[in-house]
Amino acid sequence: MTIEKKIETQLPIILREFMQEIGAAGAQRTINLEAHLERDLGLGSLERAAFFPRVEKSFGASLPESLLAEVRTLNDLIAPIQQSHPMHAFRIDAFKAEVEDVASVPVQAETLVDVLRHHCDHVPKKPHIFLQDAHGIETTITYEKLFASAQSIACGLISHGIKPGETIAIMLPTSEAFFYTFFGILLLGAIPVPIYPPFRPDQIGSYVKREAAIFRNAEIRVLVTFDQAKRLSKLLADFIPSLKAVTTFEALQVHDAPLLDMEITAEDPALIQYTSGSTGDPKGVLLTHRNLLANIRAYGERLQIKPSDVVVSWLPLYHDMGLIGAWLGSLYYGVPLTILSPITFLLYPERWLRAIHYHRATLSAGPNFAYELCVRRLDEQALQGLDLSSWRLALNGAEAIHPNTLRSFSEKFSRYGFKAEAMFPVYGLAECSVALSFPKIGRKFLIDRIDREKFMKQQIAVKVTDERVAAMEFVCCGQPLSGHEIRIVGDDGKPVAERIVGEVQFKGPSAMQAYYHNPEATQAIYHEGWWDTGDYGYLVEGEIYISGRKKDIIVKAGRNLLPESAEALVAEVAGVRRGCVAVFGVEDKISGTEKLIVVAETRETQTRERKRIMTEINQKVSEALGVPPDEVILARPKTIPKTSSGKLRRSTCKDSFLQGKLAKRKPPVWLQLTQLFGASLMRKFKKWRGRSARFIFSIYIVFLMLTTLPIMWLLGILLAKKPTAKIIRAYARAFLLLCGSPVKITGREHLANDPPIIFVANHTSYLDVFVLLAVLPIDVAFIGKQELWKVPLLNTYLNKLEHIPLDRSELSKSIDDFEQVKKSLQAKRSVCIFPEGTFTYAKGLRPFKLGAFKLAAETDLPICPVAIQGTRTVLRSDAYLPRPGKIQVTLFALQKSQGHDLPEIIRLSTEARAVIAKHCGESAVDLIVAGIQAGP
């Protein structure tokens, strides 16, 4: 028998044995070499991850991890098995090279860039990351290597025209490239936006649609990805107007890159992390350097991180727990970090534990399913010789924590040195950077057993010890971190007593600035300093117990039903895929309550077995909740949508149910790609049509300029200053009107005040000065960059009208730079300043520099805030083709300083920024955190 024939014969046998073990006997009759592993047999990523090692062991083959996502049928495995090398003996280059037991903690650092520079100055050659590949071979990344490689990426981004404050998407797997790219973006002062790379080819359509929404919201300028994804990414580019380039880490590198020294502050954005979307569309959580460092310092204090600590992680780097909790925390405290890829963990969960064993790791985290996977998948042979006694804290968070998982993991691995006190259930959310509450160290996890009936009917968590009483169990997630607060509020928004279930709210220095470009969503969860978490829970002696997601609660017959509880019960039914059950409520207009809907995935196809499953589901739910489900749907595998981190998307599942789409099969990949290609062509056509129209419009604008500017230049030379100023204002008004961009002015009465006045305006476009020339009094001096005085023709007017050049408008550097401004004010001449300093492609009102407001305080002169709306649409940064559009200018009542001290200067700046944000059409990203609502 040939090797190929032997493989063809054995593969179905191996798969049949595997499916018998996982309780999918009903699917055996469909097992053949052409059967689709997901569509026909229901083998999702977790099942395939369990099946692949069995194939490797049977054939002594070493298969690439990429097959986990690529293989569709058993036939697809034949060639890789034949071409594979003999199975490598997995090994880890153990921590033999002694790492200094010294960590220099950068307590004075204000930014993540400061943190990296600190370590480069003190311990440049110290290992920072041990990046482990599929065979256990590790690549060492030192602090100096991270910094040097990040420098080369930053210079590469500069070559693409990227400016500070612009957003860069990182769509990379766990790799060296991710770390270097992330910090390269930070060194430039731009904003990294980690995006999870595509995993399943059969969901390419939904992936592109979801990521396109994120890209548009974040206004991504460059996408850094890997070669295999570039084709998909270029398809994405047709849907993203802001996208300038799709590139790779290798293409971005600039060798012998010069040392950058960008001015980055604690208030600058450091990260936009998109929420998983388990309860709706993903939203971009905007975090500053101050937010991140506050969270890292707070959780480091609670975890009692020491120089001798060692961290191991397999968590995805696009997820806050892996990015902030594992990597950036290890970076700050200078402790070594060993990183495995998430796919390695899914295929071989024992390698997570082996890495902890060999590196004598003390800290490692994972979501609840990771601990459950270790309990269910790992046998004695895989764990032989394992020693977990060094593991002092096993953080469990990022999803619902199941009490039985805590018990079973602690019990199973106690024989391998794991201590029950090390199991550490935690609570956090992206809106609080990552961590919010931790339990006390050295205490075994607490599980609260409460009366089920009172919880569902009265929303009270009454502790019970009587085994005869129907009970529910919730896990204690500890107290809020230092500097943070948690409270439970009722429907009226007021705090409730202990053991009363309500909505969890928090506040603290780690709280996000806002949802990026989503002021409505931001305002919806902000309440006078407190942020909604979207979770329900209760407090006991100051410690938090999370009982469920607010949006997922089902109200039926006067009871509040938790979907997680029902889902756990349904998952116990034989034939139901574990982790693939969704329970939700839909409105029943006839009864005036909600219908209880259960969707359970199963591989069973036989009528008798499906009836049994439905009967058992009805029985279990009825006995436990006191109400039967109104409808039970047995769905094909992979019907229930999940987030990138594996959480159920109940709201999406509910929408599919209401639209009758749950039973529909996903179209094949070729059809999805064809549909996307067609949509891409349509977008390209619309883009071409729009550009053609703008090109023709631009020719018209150029004609106007060529026919009028020479005359204006000649008048500027011949006439005196005042007539020139009048003519320029008239010209600006007429030119904007002829260009289809009329200016509407509100608040003209505020121009009647006697000068001098300090006008402060938002800055969104090159048109802003031209618009203000048409609106403000003729004798206003504009503060501009010195570079403008080098532009031919323009310098004639700048000099003639005595506008004031400054060094890039860095108004907060020193008041000595304002001698010319003071002279202008002393001469009763008003000035106009853009306190943002500059503008970028991205929307949003940036933080104000304080120079203009310090000047107002010291001279006792009034500030007049000016809001400009519409100029970014007419002529956006990096857009050379203008378009017609309406422009609105709003002038506000004068504001005067009540003192000369810093708090008064900040108050003046904050209030001016708030009123401008109200009328400029773009939200101030940190407006809510500042505690001042936008309004006059």
Side-chain angles (χ1 to χ4, degrees):
M1 182 183 294
T2 64
I3 295 177
E4 182 176 353
K5 192 65 177 177
K6 182 180 178 181
I7 296 172
E8 290 177 355
T9 303
Q10 289 187 357
L11 272 177
I13 297 173
I14 297 169
L15 181 56
R16 185 172 291 109
E17 292 174 350
F18 171 74
M19 296 191 71
Q20 283 177 335
E21 290 182 17
I22 63 174
Q28 287 188 20
R29 60 187 177 84
T30 64
I31 294 179
N32 54 61
L33 292 174
E34 289 77 28
H36 197 287
L37 295 179
E38 285 199 11
R39 188 173 60 245
D40 299 327
L41 304 180
L43 296 182
S45 56
L46 286 177
E47 290 87 358
R48 294 202 305 275
F51 174 59
F52 276 33
R54 183 170 302 209
V55 173
E56 288 183 317
K57 185 176 180 180
S58 298
F59 294 102
S62 181
L63 300 176
E65 291 182 349
S66 58
L67 284 179
L68 184 65
E70 296 170 359
V71 166
R72 294 181 178 85
T73 69
L74 291 179
N75 260 332
D76 296 334
L77 281 172
I78 296 174
I81 293 172
Q82 285 182 294
Q83 298 165 8
S84 71
H85 299 289
M87 182 181 292
H88 291 276
F90 176 76
R91 67 184 182 87
I92 294 178
D93 290 340
F95 229 24
K96 300 300 182 186
E98 292 294 331
V99 177
E100 298 174 83
D101 190 17
V102 175
S104 176
V105 180
V107 293
Q108 301 299 322
E110 294 187 354
T111 69
L112 292 172
V113 173
D114 293 341
V115 171
L116 181 55
R117 290 183 187 275
H118 174 93
H119 290 311
C120 286
D121 291 341
H122 291 82
V123 284
K125 298 187 182 302
K126 181 180 176 181
H128 165 40
I129 294 172
F130 296 90
L131 187 60
Q132 188 182 121
D133 69 11
H135 305 298
I137 309 300
E138 293 180 345
T139 300
T140 301
I141 301 175
T142 63
Y143 294 107
E144 66 178 2
K145 184 178 181 181
L146 175 58
F147 186 81
S149 298
Q151 280 278 138
S152 71
I153 295 301
C155 290
L157 289 170
I158 289 175
S159 70
H160 280 82
I162 298 304
K163 301 172 184 176
E166 295 189 327
T167 50
I168 312 297
I170 309 174
M171 189 190 289
L172 292 169
T174 299
S175 59
E176 287 185 80
F178 183 97
F179 302 110
Y180 303 149
T181 302
F182 186 91
F183 255 98
I185 296 169
L186 289 184
L187 287 177
L188 180 58
I191 311 172
V193 185
I195 305 290
Y196 80 97
F199 178 74
R200 292 173 52 190
D202 68 334
Q203 291 191 346
I204 198 75
S206 60
Y207 176 84
V208 169
K209 291 176 183 177
R210 181 179 185 275
E211 299 313 296
I214 290 176
F215 277 53
R216 285 194 295 269
N217 176 258
E219 295 189 318
I220 296 298
R221 303 296 278 147
V222 171
L223 168 62
V224 185
T225 186
F226 48 96
D227 283 329
Q228 296 93 322
K230 282 190 72 174
R231 187 175 179 182
L232 167 63
S233 302
K234 287 180 179 178
L235 190 63
L236 263 175
D238 294 328
F239 295 82
I240 317 301
S242 63
L243 195 61
K244 295 178 67 174
V246 177
T247 185
T248 64
F249 163 76
E250 291 77 14
L252 271 181
Q253 291 181 92
V254 174
H255 300 291
D256 301 320
L259 191 66
L260 294 179
D261 189 21
M262 308 295 292
E263 182 182 353
I264 302 170
T265 71
E267 305 306 330
D268 285 335
L271 171 68
I272 300 175
Q273 55 174 330
Y274 276 81
T275 60
S276 61
S278 58
T279 58
D281 292 331
K283 295 181 282 291
V285 172
L286 178 64
L287 299 167
T288 64
H289 289 271
R290 187 184 300 280
N291 295 145
L292 290 174
L293 289 179
N295 199 255
I296 290 169
R297 285 165 175 150
Y299 75 62
E301 175 187 339
R302 183 66 61 85
L303 295 178
Q304 300 175 15
I305 295 180
K306 304 179 290 293
S308 57
D309 277 313
V310 176
V311 182
V312 167
S313 176
W314 57 267
L315 296 166
L317 294 170
Y318 54 78
H319 191 276
D320 52 8
M321 202 173 185
L323 177 67
I324 306 170
W327 176 34
L328 297 180
S330 298
L331 174 73
Y332 179 81
Y333 288 101
V335 297
L337 168 65
T338 298
I339 290 189
L340 299 72
S341 83
I343 295 178
T344 294
F345 168 74
L346 286 176
L347 285 168
Y348 312 102
E350 69 271 18
R351 294 188 183 176
W352 176 33
L353 307 182
R354 290 290 178 189
I356 294 171
H357 166 108
Y358 281 110
H359 285 272
R360 310 312 301 148
T362 57
L363 302 170
S364 194
N368 191 85
F369 94 87
Y371 296 97
E372 187 68 29
L373 192 64
C374 290
V375 171
R376 294 182 176 276
R377 281 262 301 273
L378 301 183
D379 56 23
E380 295 289 340
Q381 184 178 354
L383 302 175
Q384 189 173 5
L386 184 68
D387 179 9
L388 299 178
S389 60
S390 66
W391 198 358
R392 70 179 183 90
L393 291 175
L395 286 76
N396 184 334
E399 64 180 9
I401 303 172
H402 297 291
N404 284 335
T405 301
L406 306 187
R407 297 187 188 104
S408 57
F409 187 91
S410 299
E411 180 181 352
K412 177 170 182 173
F413 291 94
S414 62
R415 73 195 74 167
Y416 302 102
F418 184 80
K419 300 174 286 292
E421 294 78 13
M423 182 55 73
F424 203 68
V426 299
Y427 175 61
L429 62 162
E431 288 81 354
C432 188
S433 297
V434 60
L436 179 55
S437 71
F438 285 179
K440 297 175 182 177
I441 289 180
R443 180 188 73 185
K444 185 178 178 181
F445 52 85
L446 298 181
I447 296 174
D448 197 27
R449 191 168 185 272
I450 65 171
D451 187 299
R452 181 187 297 274
E453 192 71 11
K454 291 180 178 178
F455 174 86
M456 291 193 300
K457 286 189 173 181
Q458 303 175 39
Q459 289 294 281
I460 301 175
V462 177
K463 191 175 182 66
V464 296
T465 56
D466 190 341
E467 295 294 331
R468 294 170 297 179
V469 176
M472 304 174 71
E473 291 185 327
F474 296 111
V475 176
C476 175
C477 292
Q479 296 177 325
L481 301 179
S482 176
H484 297 71
E485 296 178 55
I486 291 177
R487 71 176 185 179
I488 309 297
V489 299
D491 294 338
D492 59 359
K494 296 179 180 179
V496 297
E498 281 200 348
R499 289 196 172 275
I500 302 297
V501 179
E503 184 168 358
V504 182
Q505 295 183 341
F506 81 97
K507 65 179 178 180
S510 304
M512 69 173 183
Q513 298 301 297
Y515 288 127
Y516 196 65
H517 289 166
N518 198 338
E520 295 81 9
T522 306
Q523 293 279 2
I525 69 166
Y526 185 80
H527 310 281
E528 299 179 351
W530 293 88
W531 298 87
D532 292 338
T533 64
D535 290 316
Y536 276 133
Y538 58 94
L539 291 171
V540 179
E541 297 180 353
E543 298 192 274
I544 185 73
Y545 292 77
I546 303 299
S547 60
R549 293 290 295 169
K550 179 181 178 181
K551 291 185 178 181
D552 293 333
I553 297 296
I554 304 163
V555 181
K556 182 173 178 62
R559 298 166 178 259
N560 289 337
L561 309 178
L562 297 180
E564 292 93 343
S565 300
E567 287 161 359
L569 292 167
V570 173
E572 295 175 359
V573 175
V576 172
R577 300 183 71 216
R578 185 171 293 274
C580 298
V581 180
V583 176
F584 50 85
V586 297
E587 183 182 5
D588 185 352
K589 295 181 179 179
I590 297 176
S591 65
T593 185
E594 285 191 304
K595 288 184 177 181
L596 179 62
I597 310 299
V598 176
V599 181
E601 292 184 5
T602 180
R603 303 179 184 86
E604 297 294 349
T605 57
Q606 295 181 357
T607 304
R608 180 183 299 176
E609 280 299 300
R610 291 174 70 87
K611 286 183 178 179
R612 175 193 61 80
I613 291 173
M614 295 187 74
T615 300
E616 289 190 26
I617 289 175
N618 276 287
Q619 182 179 351
K620 278 185 173 290
V621 173
S622 298
E623 290 177 356
L625 303 185
V627 291
D630 292 280
E631 188 170 348
V632 176
I633 299 172
L634 298 185
R636 298 185 183 94
K638 296 299 172 185
T639 296
I640 297 174
K642 295 184 178 181
T643 70
S644 59
S645 56
K647 297 178 184 176
L648 295 172
R649 301 188 71 185
R650 294 188 187 90
S651 59
T652 306
C653 188
K654 176 178 176 178
D655 291 342
S656 296
F657 168 80
L658 293 173
Q659 296 169 20
K661 296 180 179 179
L662 273 182
K664 292 184 179 180
R665 288 179 180 267
K666 292 184 176 68
V669 177
W670 68 266
L671 181 56
Q672 294 184 53
L673 288 174
T674 301
Q675 291 171 344
L676 285 172
F677 182 70
S680 175
L681 284 179
M682 182 57 67
R683 284 182 176 269
K684 283 182 177 179
F685 172 73
K686 290 181 179 179
K687 187 184 295 185
W688 172 84
R689 185 176 61 185
R691 284 184 175 178
S692 298
R694 290 198 298 274
F695 181 74
I696 295 171
F697 181 70
S698 298
I699 293 175
Y700 167 68
I701 298 297
V702 171
F703 172 76
L704 284 180
M705 293 173 65
L706 290 177
T707 54
T708 58
L709 284 181
I711 300 172
M712 292 299 299
W713 178 75
L714 185 61
L715 291 174
I717 293 176
L718 299 177
L719 297 178
K721 173 184 171 183
K722 190 170 182 179
T724 300
K726 288 183 177 180
I727 288 175
I728 286 178
R729 184 168 69 171
Y731 174 75
R733 291 176 175 177
F735 191 88
L736 289 168
L737 188 61
L738 289 172
C739 292
S741 302
V743 181
K744 180 181 178 182
I745 306 170
T746 303
R748 288 179 185 270
E749 64 274 15
H750 302 305
L751 296 175
N753 294 278
D754 293 331
I757 297 170
I758 301 174
F759 294 96
V760 292
N762 60 304
H763 203 7
T764 64
S765 169
Y766 292 110
L767 277 179
D768 293 336
V769 172
F770 199 64
V771 169
L772 292 180
L773 282 171
V775 171
L776 298 182
I778 60 172
D779 197 28
V780 173
F782 285 84
I783 313 300
K785 301 176 182 179
Q786 286 181 334
E787 290 87 337
L788 296 175
W789 270 254
K790 300 176 183 179
V791 179
L793 297 180
L794 181 60
N795 57 8
T796 301
Y797 290 100
L798 294 174
N799 292 324
K800 184 68 168 285
L801 300 178
E802 299 178 0
H803 295 302
I804 304 170
L806 282 181
D807 184 10
R808 291 193 171 273
S809 296
E810 292 189 7
L811 308 178
S812 59
K813 267 190 172 181
S814 170
I815 201 65
D816 294 336
D817 294 337
F818 289 92
E819 289 306 316
Q820 291 186 71
V821 181
K822 284 185 175 180
K823 289 178 182 178
S824 177
L825 294 170
Q826 289 168 358
K828 302 294 184 180
R829 187 183 186 194
S830 300
V831 299
C832 182
I833 299 172
F834 297 106
E836 290 173 276
T838 187
F839 62 91
T840 65
Y841 183 92
K843 295 179 182 177
L845 186 64
R846 297 318 188 248
F848 281 2
K849 297 177 181 180
L850 297 179
F853 307 96
K854 184 176 181 182
L855 190 63
E858 292 193 355
T859 58
D860 292 321
L861 292 175
I863 289 279
C864 180
V866 181
I868 306 173
Q869 181 178 357
T871 53
R872 194 190 297 274
T873 302
V874 174
L875 184 62
R876 195 162 189 165
S877 174
D878 294 347
Y880 304 103
L881 299 177
R883 66 179 71 190
K886 295 180 180 179
I887 297 173
Q888 169 80 44
V889 176
T890 307
L891 298 104
F892 299 94
L894 303 187
Q895 302 174 356
K896 289 204 68 173
S897 173
Q898 304 301 317
H900 300 166
D901 57 357
L902 182 60
E904 181 59 22
I905 293 171
I906 293 175
R907 182 198 66 80
L908 198 62
S909 168
T910 303
E911 292 186 358
R913 188 165 179 251
V915 297
I916 291 175
K918 179 74 173 180
H919 292 83
C920 72
E922 299 181 6
S923 60
V925 292
D926 59 349
L927 179 64
I928 293 180
V929 177
I932 297 182
Q933 302 298 316

